[in-house]
Amino acid sequence: MGIEWLKPDVIFGSLVYAVIGVAVFWLAFLIIDKLTPYDLWQEIVEKQNMALGLVVAAMSLGICIIVAAAIH
């Protein structure tokens, strides 16, 4: 076994992929927010719409799984 995962290039690569993954997720979320006919943040936070919150959570998990699979 070894400590290959402690090498600086491996850590740097992991950080770069993490930043790319977060950026892709955020971009996808913004696009979906623009495609919906209402403001997601206002509906979830201010109006406490639990159903929409669950839908957005499921959508977020789906996007995250796709981004993780693409990076992997």
Side-chain angles (χ1 to χ4, degrees), residues 18-54:
V19 169
I20 291 171
V22 169
V24 169
F25 168 75
W26 190 251
L27 180 65
F29 185 80
L30 288 176
I31 290 171
I32 291 172
D33 187 26
K34 296 296 181 191
L35 291 176
T36 56
Y38 41 82
D39 185 24
L40 291 178
W41 187 256
Q42 180 184 7
E43 283 288 325
I44 294 171
V45 176
E46 293 176 9
K47 295 183 180 178
Q48 300 292 316
N49 190 341
M50 288 292 268
L52 183 62
L54 288 174

